[in-house]
Amino acid sequence: MQILLTGGAGYIGSHTIIELDKAGHSVVVVDNLSNSCEESVHRVSEIIGKPIPFIKADVRDAVAMDSIFKSYKIGAVIHFAGLKAVGESVAKPLEYYENNLNATFVLVSAMRNNGVKNIIFSSSATVYGNPAVIPITESCPKGECTNPYGKTKSMLEEVLSDVQKADPEWNVVLLRYFNPIGAHQSGRIGENPNGIPNNLMPYITQVAVGRRPELGVFGNDYDTPDGTGVRDYIHVCDLAAGHVSALQAIERKCGLAIYNLGTGHGYSVLDVVKAFEKVNGVKVPYSIKPRRAGDIATCYCNPAKAKAELGWEAKFGIEEMCRDSWNWQKNNPKGYEG
């Protein structure tokens, strides 16, 4: 099947291309490069040994999107494109609502107009808000999202669910990601944030490689074993493989399906720092900062549904995630710039 990846030059998208290729699918990538770079696509092309069709365009551009569907025989869409930083979304809510909602409206309209009715949506554990139950299952009620980023994901889940209800020919898979870290084992592609990292692991690796003096740990007074926030970290290659499994659900005509993609294990910020130091032999100095707006204490999942229905489960542990993150950063100290 030929798959359109919106935002496919980004961190998760670039790793997903490799897993799709392994499974025999072909891809087309569209990305406006606002939070990614074309070099990632070139490197993936080297890894898989074949060219990857790449279109530089904004998913909000209806003419460009319609042209893509008319130019390629797209069987399904994996929708990664969107602004994604929790803290930034609190400071810039209007930009997040405008970008993430409009991009999806334009995309789904173009799909409908061109008879493509299969979509996998890159959602997030943030839709659970401050979760009612830990570990989180898919039956856990969606909570009051604590930040605009999470609210856009929750709203778009509702939009896509309503599209599927209105036309049962649609197959919609909502994948609720937990916290992707790690990198491809080749060390050629990895997480490459623009500016100051918003996520934990790229900050750790940038401190380790000497780009930043220390890690800021946001809050040490949460109700957790060591006071720092606990999250479910998942290797990005495991997460990427989850999308291939989700395509199998689409091929079975799943209708509407929702899955958590995580390991089912919670690690605190300091757990991750200690694991990184242990496996890589590199010290990571840190200091405690005030809590960050929109953050919650604990968030990890029960991934049993994905295993039962998709045959998918995470293979990599926290030490492998830390090892591969460092392998990427030490070989690319300035990311894709060198």
Side-chain angles (χ1 to χ4, degrees):
M1 190 187 300
Q2 189 160 51
I3 316 298
L4 176 65
L5 275 63
T6 70
Y11 174 44
I12 302 171
S14 58
H15 288 80
T16 301
I17 296 169
I18 296 171
E19 297 300 323
L20 289 168
D21 180 72
K22 282 184 196 173
H25 300 287
S26 61
V27 303
V28 177
V29 172
V30 58
D31 201 304
N32 67 1
L33 305 180
S34 66
N35 193 36
S36 59
C37 66
E38 197 172 345
E39 176 64 17
S40 67
V41 180
H42 295 320
R43 294 193 185 188
V44 171
S45 180
E46 292 171 6
I47 291 168
I48 68 174
K50 63 185 71 168
I52 298 165
F54 173 78
I55 301 100
K56 183 182 178 183
D58 195 304
V59 181
R60 293 171 293 179
D61 182 341
V63 173
M65 295 308 297
D66 188 64
S67 174
I68 291 169
F69 283 103
K70 285 184 166 44
S71 301
Y72 297 93
K73 191 174 177 58
I74 303 297
V77 176
I78 303 179
H79 183 28
F80 294 113
L83 299 176
K84 62 179 183 176
V86 167
E88 183 183 64
S89 78
V90 175
K92 298 180 176 179
L94 188 59
E95 287 83 350
Y96 271 68
Y97 288 120
E98 192 281 327
N99 185 92
N100 292 2
L101 298 179
N102 281 346
T104 308
F105 297 157
V106 171
L107 171 65
V108 174
S109 293
M111 291 174 66
R112 182 178 60 186
N113 293 343
N114 288 278
V116 179
K117 297 184 177 182
N118 299 312
I119 185 168
I120 297 170
F121 177 57
S122 170
S123 191
S124 166
T126 56
V127 302
Y128 294 112
N130 202 341
V133 179
I134 298 286
I136 303 166
T137 66
E138 291 83 353
S139 60
C140 180
K142 286 166 64 171
E144 175 60 35
C145 294
T146 57
N147 55 77
Y149 163 75
K151 288 176 182 176
T152 67
K153 293 296 188 185
S154 184
M155 289 175 182
L156 290 170
E157 283 196 358
E158 299 302 323
V159 169
L160 292 169
S161 298
D162 286 343
V163 167
Q164 197 280 329
K165 287 174 190 171
D167 181 355
E169 289 186 4
W170 278 78
N171 294 294
V172 173
V173 182
L174 308 176
L175 296 181
R176 293 173 177 168
Y177 304 165
F178 281 71
N179 293 66
I181 59 175
H184 191 259
Q185 286 78 8
S186 67
R188 294 287 290 152
I189 61 170
E191 191 165 9
N192 184 50
N194 292 338
I196 299 172
N198 288 290
N199 296 327
L200 175 63
M201 185 55 77
Y203 213 116
I204 288 175
T205 59
Q206 288 189 14
V207 170
V209 84
R211 286 176 62 182
R212 303 194 184 278
E214 66 176 13
L215 170 71
V217 176
F218 296 105
N220 67 343
D221 57 350
Y222 287 106
D223 184 17
T224 63
D226 63 19
T228 64
V230 170
R231 296 291 182 271
D232 188 336
Y233 295 95
I234 177 173
H235 198 295
V236 67
C237 292
D238 280 332
L239 185 65
H243 295 76
V244 179
S245 298
L247 278 174
Q248 294 168 4
I250 281 176
E251 288 166 349
R252 295 194 301 267
K253 304 297 183 186
C254 62
L256 174 66
I258 303 171
Y259 299 102
N260 289 332
L261 294 186
T263 65
H265 301 287
Y267 295 96
S268 74
V269 173
L270 295 184
D271 286 337
V272 177
V273 170
K274 290 171 187 172
F276 185 92
E277 291 180 334
K278 175 188 171 186
V279 74
N280 297 313
V282 181
K283 290 296 291 180
V284 180
Y286 66 86
S287 63
I288 304 301
K289 307 287 187 185
R291 291 188 184 191
R292 187 168 57 178
D295 277 350
I296 60 175
T298 302
C299 185
Y300 62 93
C301 79
N302 178 341
K305 184 181 178 188
K307 182 177 181 180
E309 296 186 11
L310 302 179
W312 173 91
E313 62 181 328
K315 298 175 182 176
F316 299 106
I318 191 68
E319 292 192 357
E320 292 158 307
M321 300 180 213
C322 291
R323 177 200 66 202
D324 292 340
S325 294
W326 179 232
N327 185 44
W328 149 253
Q329 191 74 79
K330 73 181 180 183
N331 287 306
N332 303 271
K334 295 183 180 179
Y336 289 114
E337 294 176 10

